[in-house]
Amino acid sequence: MKENQRTKLTKKLLKESLLNLLKEKDLDSITVTELCAGAQINRTTFYRYYKFPADVLTEMERELFTEMRDALKNVKTADEALDYLKTICRRCADKTDPLGFFLRYDIGAEHALILRDLYKSGSDFYNNVDSDEEHNKIIATYFAGGAFFYS
């Protein structure tokens, strides 16, 4: 089901509010009241879409990993793959990037499933790309365990 403009705006405001709060405190410490105040919406509106602040992060995580999976489909050469991996690593190192938050907050089985799916997408790609075995091994190691180590 496609979301209307109002729903998209509300969710965007909640996501921005959550990211701002995560710069200052842990996810477990963030209340719905704080999240809503930052987004300038009421609690009833929040509960229309989510149950907990962590649900906002989970939705953001799904969206980001879908974007990453789609981007992998556009990578055609080993050089493009390396550039893509460098971009991901830079984003992980950037403490303000949502990707870093997702890797820092392993919020359950959903997180592992998303990373597994992303790894599978990457594996499928790297099995078909023209690159050397050592390069493929490094990429596979990153997708399989590097993200968990980082968090």
Side-chain angles (χ1 to χ4, degrees):
M1 185 170 144
K2 200 160 188 154
E3 294 180 339
N4 66 36
Q5 290 292 86
R6 184 175 301 207
T7 299
K8 286 179 185 178
L9 177 60
T10 299
K11 287 184 171 189
K12 180 179 186 254
L13 292 171
L14 285 166
K15 290 169 187 173
E16 289 172 359
S17 177
L18 181 64
L19 289 174
N20 286 331
L21 289 167
L22 284 171
K23 292 175 188 173
E24 301 167 11
K25 56 196 322 187
D26 289 334
L27 179 63
D28 295 338
S29 303
I30 296 172
T31 65
V32 172
T33 302
E34 291 173 309
L35 190 56
C36 291
Q40 297 182 338
I41 65 164
N42 64 45
R43 291 170 52 97
T44 305
T45 303
F46 172 85
Y47 288 115
R48 182 176 301 140
Y49 306 109
Y50 308 104
K51 286 176 108 175
F52 306 103
D55 296 339
V56 178
L57 191 65
T58 298
E59 182 174 279
M60 292 171 63
E61 183 179 45
R62 279 190 208 122
E63 291 169 354
L64 179 64
F65 284 121
T66 297
E67 174 189 319
M68 291 170 69
R69 189 171 30 251
D70 292 345
L72 271 175
K73 293 175 186 173
N74 296 322
V75 175
K76 303 294 183 217
T77 67
D79 287 339
E80 289 175 352
L82 186 57
D83 289 342
Y84 180 73
L85 182 62
K86 286 178 184 177
T87 299
I88 297 299
C89 290
R90 278 189 216 101
R91 289 185 68 182
C92 288
D94 181 354
K95 299 299 182 195
T96 63
D97 192 288
L99 184 57
F101 291 125
F102 302 141
L103 297 177
R104 200 169 337 141
Y105 293 104
D106 180 2
I107 51 181
E110 181 78 17
H111 185 89
L113 292 173
I114 290 169
L115 285 174
R116 185 202 64 203
D117 290 347
L118 184 61
Y119 168 70
K120 181 170 176 7
S121 297
S123 295
D124 292 344
F125 166 76
Y126 287 106
N127 288 334
N128 296 323
V129 76
D130 179 28
S131 69
D132 63 55
E133 186 62 32
E134 183 64 21
H135 184 254
N136 287 345
K137 185 177 176 183
I138 291 168
I139 300 301
T141 301
Y142 170 76
F143 277 117
F148 287 110
F149 178 75
Y150 175 78
S151 62

